[in-house]
Amino acid sequence: AAAVAVAVLALLLALARPAGAHALLVSSDPAYGAALASAPARVTLRFSEAVHLSRDSVTVRDAAGTLVSQGAAAHAGRDDTAAVALRGGLPHGTYIVTWRLVSADTHPVGGSLEFGIGGPPDPGAAPAPPEPSALLTYAAGLAHAAALLGFALFAGLVLFGWLVWPDALVRRAPRQLLTIGGWLLAVATVAQLLLQGPRTGESLAGTLGYRYGQAAVARLVLLAVAGWALRARTPSRARRVLAGGAVTGALFSEALLGHAAAGGDAPFAVFAVTLHLAAMCLWTGGLTVLVLLVLARPRPDAPLLLRRWSRAAAWAVGVLAVTGAYQAWREVGAFPALGGTPYGRLLLVKLGLFAAALAAAGVARRRLGARTALRRAAAVELTAHLAVLAVTATLTGSRPARTDYGPPFRTTAAAGETRVRVEVAATRTGPQQITVSAPGLAAVTGGLALPGEHLGPFDVRFRPDGPGRFTSQGAAAPRPGTWRLRLSLTTGDPLVHVLTVPYRVH
């Protein structure tokens, strides 16, 4: 199975066309750094994907920090466009637009830009948007890890009862594990719901108004339904079917709250993640039952249960390998991103732990006749699974490698007799920090375009950053591809030189 996962992942990465991720600003009106003769009636921001807005998702302030926007931020005819009205009669000066909203994958994103009325804005006036505290981010990650463990115990035991041990759901010890898993998942879901608001700058009512809050509430309702259906000492077939449907819905709710929900293939990705979660729950939950209950003492039915478990685990591993490779392709996009981004390195750790779990499973299969040795191997396998859950919780909250990977780009071109150096700090989608330098360089203007997708040219403003050196302000590449940077350069001679520099955005 590990070899299958690696082979499928290699094929997908070789054919990779990355999907969308966190929402990125595509264009704005007024544009970044614009110098307007008179005040606009409103500010409009267009993003690379649909965004959820709260009242204060977009605000505008003057250079002194006074709020000059009025009313609530709202969509402007499209779900990927946000707008906010401005007060009338604004005086000349610098104005800063700040946004903090929720992208299609339910993760918070933010940024800022500046424009001027009666002249250009003051350079560097726009502050960086506030980021959630490290403690808040840690708490959210811990809650997600607890939710995954709750899923593994609750959903895993239901699936184990269906496929391996039909009497599990009527026996006291397995039902106790089921209860622990259900309550752990419920408490963790409530914690996630309460933490989302502070991370996005919204109230609890605001969080309940879009998919994140709605999916969390739906999960809690489905857990209650499943708990009721399994409450009977001997659940009927109808109750078991109802519980299975509720568990499937709860798994689907988890798939909706992450990277799978963004991009053109979101419906298929959400389906794949639901399958992945179900397979993870079966394997991890089943191992928990084996270690704590089936192999804890001699049982006459142990050989039968182990044979059934072997078949079910083989299917679970196959599903995990295929769906995991597909998810890796969506989130990584290119082989260099595996080692070149925090997300990619975490994914390699997860693959290593997955391989360790498979190795332990192989040892267990060779020791089916020795209960103590088999239990020890299964415990090692379970430990590797718990580590995988912890890494998965971190991965889900991390910026995908396909949007984080972008090695620096450097080139040198001729402008008359002057050699001009062009540098892009990071060639990933989103903001582009472009530096142009040359002896005697007096002024730079530019534009950025992606001809293959008919994007741009977007104006790129440059500010002086030392003798003969200029750095971009507000440049952004919202899509991967080969972008063309067109530069107009004023050097020591009276001519204006024009250069076109192509570079790849990952």
Side-chain angles (χ1 to χ4, degrees):
V4 172
V6 172
V8 174
L9 176 58
L11 178 61
L12 289 171
L13 289 178
L15 303 175
R17 284 187 59 84
H22 300 305
L24 301 170
L25 185 67
V26 174
S27 61
S28 65
D29 183 17
Y32 187 102
L36 307 178
S38 59
R42 66 176 185 171
V43 170
T44 303
L45 306 174
R46 184 182 174 194
F47 295 90
S48 58
E49 64 182 41
V51 293
H52 166 72
L53 303 176
S54 62
R55 177 181 177 82
D56 298 322
S57 286
V58 182
T59 58
V60 185
R61 299 179 183 272
D62 62 19
T66 302
L67 186 69
V68 299
S69 53
Q70 60 181 4
H75 291 293
R78 302 162 52 111
D79 58 7
D80 62 356
T81 304
V84 67
L86 300 180
R87 293 203 320 246
L90 293 180
H92 289 183
T94 296
Y95 294 88
I96 299 110
V97 183
T98 303
W99 62 92
R100 185 160 188 81
L101 37 77
V102 181
S103 59
D105 59 8
T106 71
H107 291 160
V109 293
S112 59
L113 61 83
E114 60 209 29
F115 66 91
I117 300 176
D122 296 333
E131 294 289 337
S133 69
L135 180 61
L136 187 61
T137 301
Y138 176 80
L142 187 62
H144 189 211
L148 290 178
L149 181 58
F151 267 119
L153 290 176
F154 188 78
L157 275 167
V158 172
L159 293 171
F160 189 84
W162 272 9
L163 301 174
V164 178
W165 192 7
D167 292 338
L169 297 179
V170 301
R171 293 176 178 265
R172 180 181 177 186
R175 287 172 66 88
Q176 288 177 335
L177 279 178
L178 187 74
T179 301
I180 292 172
W183 277 109
L184 178 61
L185 179 54
V187 171
T189 300
V190 171
Q192 289 180 287
L193 184 60
L194 295 177
L195 289 168
Q196 178 71 357
R199 295 176 67 220
T200 60
E202 291 184 314
S203 65
L204 177 59
T207 302
L208 294 173
Y210 68 102
R211 189 174 71 244
Y212 191 98
Q214 293 161 1
V217 170
R219 182 191 303 171
L220 293 172
V221 172
L222 289 167
L223 280 175
V225 170
W228 174 85
L230 297 173
R231 186 177 180 181
R233 185 65 182 172
T234 54
S236 64
R237 180 177 179 82
R239 281 180 174 247
R240 288 173 181 258
V241 171
L242 179 61
V247 167
T248 302
L251 292 170
F252 180 75
S253 75
E254 172 67 16
L256 286 174
L257 304 183
H259 304 309
D265 60 343
F268 184 78
V270 169
F271 173 73
V273 170
T274 303
L275 286 179
H276 191 82
L277 287 169
M280 178 276 293
C281 290
L282 172 60
W283 198 5
T284 308
L287 281 172
T288 303
V289 175
L290 289 179
V291 172
L292 297 182
L293 303 179
V294 175
L295 300 175
R297 59 182 61 87
R299 296 177 55 92
D301 60 348
L304 174 62
L305 295 181
L306 289 172
R307 285 196 300 272
R308 290 175 177 173
W309 166 248
S310 181
R311 290 193 296 269
W315 277 103
V317 169
V319 171
L320 284 170
V322 174
T323 57
Y326 167 69
Q327 291 176 71
W329 163 72
R330 286 189 92 243
E331 308 305 334
V332 176
F335 275 116
L338 283 171
T341 62
Y343 185 100
R345 290 188 288 271
L346 274 173
L347 181 59
L348 290 176
V349 171
K350 180 178 177 179
L351 289 174
L353 291 169
F354 180 68
L358 286 178
V363 172
R365 287 177 65 89
R366 291 194 296 271
R367 298 182 178 181
L368 289 178
R371 180 177 59 83
T372 302
L374 175 58
R375 189 186 186 205
R376 188 179 298 116
V380 172
E381 187 180 354
L382 178 59
T383 301
H385 272 266
L386 296 177
V388 167
L389 288 183
V391 174
T392 300
T394 305
L395 278 173
T396 305
S398 302
R399 182 182 172 97
R402 58 190 159 86
T403 59
D404 202 30
Y405 176 70
F409 169 82
R410 301 180 182 90
T411 191
T412 302
E417 297 182 357
T418 303
R419 302 298 294 178
V420 179
R421 184 172 179 82
V422 179
E423 301 175 75
V424 183
T427 56
R428 55 176 173 260
T429 54
Q432 305 286 289
Q433 182 179 321
I434 304 168
T435 301
V436 181
S437 58
L441 188 61
V444 181
T445 60
L448 197 58
L450 182 61
E453 297 191 23
H454 306 290
L455 287 177
F458 306 131
D459 290 336
V460 179
R461 290 170 54 85
F462 288 87
R463 58 176 172 80
D465 194 22
R469 180 183 174 91
F470 291 79
T471 301
S472 64
Q473 290 182 287
R479 295 279 193 275
T482 301
W483 287 75
R484 293 186 177 274
L485 174 64
R486 184 177 175 84
L487 299 170
S488 297
L489 311 171
T490 302
T491 58
D493 55 44
L495 299 177
V496 175
H497 301 275
V498 177
L499 296 178
T500 299
V501 179
Y503 71 95
R504 183 184 175 191
V505 173
H506 298 271

